[in-house]
Amino acid sequence: DAQPTEVDGYRGRIEAELMLQQFSNAVRDYARVTAFVQPVHPDAQTTILSGYGDRLSATPDSIPGLTGASFAYWWFFQYASAIHVTNHLLNLQPGSVYGNLFRGSSRLLLGATPSRGAADLDFAIAVAPQSADVRFIVADAYTYGQPDPQRALAEASLVIAPANSRLV
């Protein structure tokens, strides 16, 4: 809040949100980076990605580093790189909700191996069936990546359903 246009504050908060599986909050904060930070720091994307590159060079198996880097690639539409990084993450944590969810989303958004992407998304749902954040990302993947309006609507409807009837 004290430095609303500084890259590192957002990067750190986004990474923490991802580790807490608050994926929609992380999306919101990257939207803020786009709206508030990039006009002041046009090199914000380069700063974020090179920072993760440096971090992963020093500690290549860092779960927070791999998570943050893969999400940054996903946000900046670099899906092949996101898939590469999530593959590494999933080698370390095969059951990761985050890794499966964002590898699946990246696969659909890239148009690469859509059946494997769908399987990744289904795995993430199976592991966290009551997570509105997971359903939000799945709805996005079926809206923009592998267009399936009925599936996207079904997933989005689960996100906005009343708490007492959500994801029964």
Side-chain angles (χ1 to χ4, degrees):
D1 289 341
Q3 297 178 325
T5 62
E6 292 303 313
V7 175
D8 284 334
Y10 283 101
R11 186 216 38 83
R13 183 164 67 188
I14 290 164
E15 196 172 296
E17 290 164 343
L18 294 170
M19 298 305 296
L20 294 169
Q21 296 187 8
Q22 296 176 1
F23 309 130
S24 62
N25 288 346
V27 167
R28 178 205 59 213
D29 281 335
Y30 258 121
R32 289 177 175 165
V33 169
T34 301
F36 303 121
V37 177
Q38 286 184 306
V40 177
H41 301 287
D43 61 340
Q45 178 178 338
T46 302
T47 300
I48 291 166
L49 295 176
S50 65
Y52 278 118
D54 292 345
R55 222 167 122 190
L56 291 172
S57 289
T59 53
D61 292 341
S62 165
I63 300 302
L66 291 166
T67 302
S70 62
F71 189 76
Y73 285 126
W74 179 86
W75 178 259
F76 294 123
F77 308 103
Q78 296 181 27
Y79 303 120
S81 295
I83 293 166
H84 175 75
V85 176
T86 53
N87 282 339
H88 185 124
L89 176 64
L90 288 166
N91 285 335
L92 300 170
Q93 292 185 325
S96 166
V97 170
Y98 171 85
N100 283 282
L101 179 65
F102 282 90
R103 182 177 67 182
S105 174
S106 296
R107 284 175 164 168
L108 266 59
L109 291 164
L110 181 63
T113 60
S115 62
R116 291 171 66 193
D120 285 341
L121 295 174
D122 289 341
F123 180 87
I125 290 170
V127 173
Q130 295 188 347
S131 172
D133 286 272
V134 167
R135 301 293 181 149
F136 168 72
I137 299 302
V138 172
D140 177 81
Y142 283 109
T143 298
Y144 301 108
Q146 181 73 31
D148 181 342
Q150 290 179 326
R151 175 76 188 267
L153 178 61
E155 297 296 340
S157 295
L158 291 171
V159 171
I160 61 171
N164 61 351
S165 66
R166 185 184 314 172
L167 308 174
V168 181

